[in-house]
Amino acid sequence: MKLVECVPNFSEGRRPEVIDEIVGAMVAVPGVRLLDKEMDPNHNRAVVTIVGEPEPVLEGAFRGIAKAAVLIDLRSHEGEHPRMGAADVVPFVPVRGVTMQDCVALARRLGERVGTELGIPVYLYECAATRPGRENLAEVRKGQFEGLCREIGSNPERDPDFGPKKIHPSAGAVAVGARAFLVAYNINLGTTDVAVAKAIAKAIRHSTGGLRYVKAMGFELKDRGIVQVSINMVNFEGTPLFRVFELVRVEAERHGVPVVGSEIVGLVPEDALIACAEFYLRLEGFKRDQILEYRLSESEGS
């Protein structure tokens, strides 16, 4: 069986009924399985993970984008997380029997269909990008919905890959791409000073001289009275979670601020967590088959 994962991000984190309706549209496609659904009211964003064979997942992603365009209006949307679309980001991730190039083809097929049938401008990013400047999602989403409203149609550099050269009035635009597995990892700091979170994000992200496989931003979590370093780990093996956590902790100490917790948004590969256990417990000669559940699954399969 070929398996591909799709992780659409929607610009809605405060109305569960809206996300439930969007998810319902996706999983109504036979063969599409929901793996995870996360909502964050501060970011005003939802991250949904579906999996299945390529064709059903492609159809499910399209239906999710179409439903989001009906239910989410960017003109009245406010939240901490950058966004340019109701369905903001839709990446395909190879899981089993599927190559990255297969996912690139899926992204381009989805983008063409969204642009043609829904009239929403589509920007291809990461491995599906058609130009080097669009590999980085932050560059694609620069200026967010409001900035894109001003530039699309007048600045050729902002022309979409598919769809009209004008913003959709309520649904904005969508970034569709193909990428490796990403770990969304947030670290919370015990201060209300968002400048501290932004300074630490700048120190750890690759684009400003930090860790190679890290993207990061600083946010304020007003309802909790704290700030957050929001991190995308684009290669958890090249830059493991524990290394990021330790660097944030050290940087926070320089500002006289404690780390009060961290969180993983969505799914995470078990190897990423096992690596943390090996690091912090200083395990010597540890083998994966020492894990009880591993041994049980092996015996059940034999």
Side-chain angles (χ1 to χ4, degrees):
M1 178 181 290
K2 294 182 177 181
L3 284 180
V4 64
E5 180 185 77
C6 186
V7 192
N9 288 216
F10 299 101
S11 297
E12 177 55 65
R14 298 167 184 168
R15 297 180 294 167
E17 68 278 7
V18 169
I19 296 303
D20 287 344
E21 194 167 342
I22 292 170
V23 170
M26 290 191 287
V27 299
V29 178
V32 173
R33 178 185 171 195
L34 175 67
L35 291 185
D36 190 62
K37 177 181 65 177
E38 300 273 353
M39 297 182 66
D40 188 304
N42 288 290
H43 289 199
N44 203 3
R45 191 173 184 85
V47 179
V48 178
T49 305
I50 59 174
V51 71
E53 293 204 6
E55 292 304 318
V57 169
L58 178 64
E59 178 64 26
F62 176 81
R63 294 190 189 185
I65 295 170
K67 184 63 70 173
V70 173
L71 299 177
I72 299 173
D73 191 335
L74 264 290
R75 292 169 296 190
S76 59
H77 178 277
E78 292 182 353
E80 290 293 328
H81 203 286
R83 81 287 181 268
M84 68 178 189
D88 190 55
V89 184
V90 183
F92 291 95
V93 181
V95 176
R96 182 192 305 154
V98 177
T99 67
M100 186 61 75
Q101 282 306 307
D102 293 331
C103 288
V104 169
L106 288 172
R108 292 178 178 173
R109 286 173 58 198
L110 176 63
E112 184 175 16
R113 189 175 173 193
V114 168
T116 301
E117 298 183 29
L118 302 179
I120 299 173
V122 175
Y123 295 84
L124 298 172
Y125 80 106
E126 284 278 357
C127 295
T130 56
R131 61 181 80 173
R134 291 185 179 173
E135 292 174 357
N136 187 348
L137 178 60
E139 288 300 315
V140 173
R141 200 164 50 196
K142 189 175 181 180
Q144 301 191 54
F145 173 69
E146 293 78 8
L148 199 56
C149 284
R150 293 188 295 269
E151 289 196 70
I152 189 170
S154 60
N155 180 356
E157 290 297 316
R158 302 290 270 171
D159 286 352
D161 291 288
F162 299 106
K165 294 181 182 180
K166 61 179 181 179
I167 202 78
H168 188 286
S170 60
V174 57
V176 179
R179 60 164 173 76
F181 197 93
L182 177 151
V183 179
Y185 180 51
N186 300 328
I187 300 178
N188 297 328
L189 308 177
T191 178
T192 58
D193 188 354
V194 71
V196 172
K198 290 181 176 180
I200 293 174
K202 183 178 180 180
I204 70 169
R205 63 177 173 248
H206 176 63
S207 64
T208 47
L211 298 171
R212 175 63 183 87
Y213 299 109
V214 168
K215 299 179 181 181
M217 295 180 289
F219 294 124
E220 182 181 9
L221 304 184
K222 293 181 181 179
D223 65 335
R224 296 182 59 183
I226 59 175
V227 300
Q228 180 181 88
V229 182
S230 181
I231 305 159
N232 279 346
M233 317 250 329
V234 299
N235 181 341
F236 70 88
E237 294 173 323
T239 302
L241 269 69
F242 60 78
R243 189 162 298 147
V244 172
F245 180 85
E246 287 298 317
L247 182 54
V248 170
R249 182 183 60 79
V250 169
E251 288 292 323
E253 287 179 354
R254 291 179 58 244
H255 291 276
V257 169
V259 170
V260 296
S262 68
E263 62 180 356
I264 291 171
V265 180
L267 304 181
V268 58
E270 60 187 6
D271 281 350
L273 300 181
I274 291 172
C276 291
E278 290 177 320
F279 177 81
Y280 283 108
L281 299 179
R282 302 183 183 182
L283 298 176
E284 298 178 359
F286 180 76
K287 299 180 179 61
R288 296 294 195 270
D289 62 7
Q290 290 178 250
I291 299 174
L292 173 63
E293 287 77 8
Y294 271 43
R295 191 62 64 86
L296 288 174
S297 64
E298 288 177 355
S299 63
E300 290 170 354
S302 61

